């Protein structure tokens, strides 16, 4: 076996070890064995971590080659490289910008070049990691026909805060297991046996992922009684525009089992903020465009 084959074999062995350790960790936390789908999700999680680790190592190598170091806070300092001397003419400055490139510019271009590869959205984890949301989107698309698959622009998220009673249902099974449901259609209806409305003071917030193309719900999570819980979203209404989203049992995903609920909630929060920033940027651009015309 050649040198490259040895290196490749060691890498595969290390990868499998990490996968086995991740599966063991999840099974210990849950107190039960993972099914094949759960093991597949754990494998994807490890592969995603290894990809991000590889990208980060590449960045560190790039920075080292151009004389910059990686600290605990940020990869690059704030501001520009430096202020041009006052005696420089505009022509001289333009010529310099056309013929020379700073190390920082080269680094930024390197990052832009890397952005074409899968998984590199995690280079901006400091701005808000959404890899769990991305995984849920992939799982959802796996449940759809090819022509019905959606992209991330069609993955909406609804945030509910300070909601009143008659919003989240607590369902207690005969064996005492508790689950939580959101179903806007039941607000004016009688609840079934074992169901009761959660008091408004006990509800912190709720995030719900929705398919804005087909008006379907995808997954939900909420802070109830100061603990994170999965919310089974049967029906939800977007109060800002009146759109109703309903659960399709054939395509509904729910939350991945291998992640901690607190981490999922943080991911949803990051994604909500990401969508808000995009909406505000779009509105600002439209406003500026109107002012120019």
């Amino acid at each position: 076996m050649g040198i490259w084959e040895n290196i490749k074999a060691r890498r595969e062995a290390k990868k499998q070890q990490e996968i086995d350790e991740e599966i063991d960790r999840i099974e210990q936390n849950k107190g039960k064995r993972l099914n094949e789908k759960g093991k597949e999700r754990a494998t994807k999680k490890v592969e995603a971590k290894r990809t991000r680790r590889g990208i980060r190592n590449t960045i560190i190598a790039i920075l080292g080659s151009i004389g910059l170091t990686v600290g605990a806070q940020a990869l690059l300092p704030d501001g520009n490289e430096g202020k041009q001397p006052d005696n420089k003419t505009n022509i001289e400055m333009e010529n310099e910008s056309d013929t020379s490139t700073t190390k920082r510019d080269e680094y930024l271009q390197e990052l832009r070049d890397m952005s074409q590869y899968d998984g590199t959205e995690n280079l901006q984890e400091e701005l808000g990691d959404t890899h769990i949301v991305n995984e849920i989107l992939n799982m959802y698309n796996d449940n759809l026909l090819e022509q019905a698959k959606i992209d991330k622009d069609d993955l909406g998220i609804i945030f509910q805060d300070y909601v009143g009673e008659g919003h989240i249902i607590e369902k207690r099974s005969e064996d005492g297991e508790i689950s939580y449901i959101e179903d806007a259609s039941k607000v004016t209806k009688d609840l079934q046996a074992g169901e009761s409305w959660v008091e408004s003071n006990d509800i912190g917030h709720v995030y719900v992922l929705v398919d804005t193309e087909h008006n379907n719900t995808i997954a939900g999570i909420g802070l109830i009684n100061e603990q994170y819980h999965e919310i089974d979203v049967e029906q939800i209404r977007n109060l800002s525009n009146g759109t109703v989203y309903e659960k399709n049992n054939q395509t509904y995903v729910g939350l991945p089992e291998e992640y901690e609920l607190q981490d999922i909630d943080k991911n949803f929060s990051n994604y909500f903020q990401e969508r808000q920033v995009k909406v505000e940027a779009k509105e600002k651009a439209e406003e500026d465009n109107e002012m120019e015309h």
Side-chain angles (χ1 to χ4, degrees), residues 204-216:
H205 64 255
V206 175
Y207 288 105
V208 177
L209 289 176
V210 296
D211 172 358
T212 60
E213 178 69 19
H214 306 102
N215 290 357
N216 287 334

Side-chain angles (χ1 to χ4, degrees), residues 263-274:
D263 295 334
I264 297 176
D265 185 85
K266 180 60 177 174
N267 242 243
F268 278 38
S269 174
N270 290 339
Y271 185 58
F272 177 78
Q273 294 177 48
E274 177 185 309

